Amino acid sequence: MQNIGIQAIITLACYFIFTGVAFWALQALRFDRFIRRDHVPQAQMLIGLLAVAIGYLTSSFFLSFIDQARNLIFLIR
């Protein structure tokens, strides 16, 4: 049971970390060229949702990669 709890904490931490990194990386893009002047709140929501989507995809890839690397041990045995 403790392993499941540790894995849940690691998964949640990865989601938050990769979402933060994606949000930080999206700040480098110039979205003001594509957004109309009166739609600033919608643009901010779009950036937030893009950061969540990119963070989720990258963390899922990272966690899946780690899980598959751990499973390579069974190939050797």
Side-chain angles (χ1 to χ4, degrees):
M1 288 300 251
Q2 187 176 4
N3 288 340
I4 295 172
I6 292 172
Q7 185 176 3
I9 289 173
I10 291 171
T11 301
L12 288 174
C14 282
Y15 286 155
F16 283 118
I17 290 169
F18 280 104
T19 300
V21 169
F23 183 76
W24 174 73
L26 284 172
Q27 298 301 311
L29 295 176
R30 301 266 325 237
F31 283 107
D32 57 343
R33 294 181 181 178
F34 305 110
I35 306 301
R36 291 187 232 156
R37 293 182 188 192
D38 298 335
H39 297 283
V40 174
Q42 289 94 342
Q44 291 172 341
M45 180 61 73
L46 177 64
I47 291 171
L49 290 174
L50 281 173
V52 169
I54 293 170
Y56 175 77
L57 288 173
T58 53
S59 63
S60 294
F61 170 78
F62 177 75
L63 292 170
S64 177
F65 184 81
I66 296 296
D67 190 37
Q68 296 304 319
R70 283 188 356 205
N71 288 338
L72 284 176
I73 296 171
F74 297 114
L75 185 64
I76 297 170
R77 289 184 186 181

